[in-house]
Amino acid sequence: MLKNKVLTEEIIQSIDNTIRLLRELKLDNEQDRKHVEGRIAALEWIKTGQGGKIVVNVPKEMK
């Protein structure tokens, strides 16, 4: 699945900004660095579009 068919440009920009901010964190603890690296990897995976659809603002009765 291609990311441009699932994710809007605004969501992709938001993910990119989050990744950038996570990379700027100065962490002393190795465990914290590993957690942040895992979150960055998850965000990169979501950006590929292989993470499935991101659905927002859907009324409960439509779920």
Side-chain angles (χ1 to χ4, degrees), residues 8-31:
T8 65
E9 188 61 35
E10 292 83 17
I11 292 173
I12 293 170
Q13 287 176 354
S14 178
I15 291 171
D16 286 338
N17 287 337
T18 303
I19 290 170
R20 181 184 53 78
L21 291 171
L22 286 170
R23 287 187 174 142
E24 289 178 2
L25 289 174
K26 303 293 185 225
L27 302 171
D28 296 329
N29 186 321
E30 182 64 27
Q31 185 177 7

Side-chain angles (χ1 to χ4, degrees):
M1 185 180 309
L2 298 174
K3 69 179 178 183
N4 60 358
K5 292 186 179 183
V6 177
L7 303 177
T8 65
E9 188 61 35
E10 292 83 17
I11 292 173
I12 293 170
Q13 287 176 354
S14 178
I15 291 171
D16 286 338
N17 287 337
T18 303
I19 290 170
R20 181 184 53 78
L21 291 171
L22 286 170
R23 287 187 174 142
E24 289 178 2
L25 289 174
K26 303 293 185 225
L27 302 171
D28 296 329
N29 186 321
E30 182 64 27
Q31 185 177 7
D32 290 341
R33 281 194 294 269
K34 287 182 180 182
H35 285 297
V36 169
E37 289 172 9
R39 283 163 176 73
I40 290 171
L43 289 169
E44 295 277 356
W45 178 68
I46 289 170
K47 271 182 47 178
T48 66
Q50 296 174 358
K53 290 184 179 181
I54 296 177
V55 181
V56 294
N57 296 329
V58 176
K60 286 188 175 186
E61 56 271 5
M62 292 185 69
K63 288 185 178 180

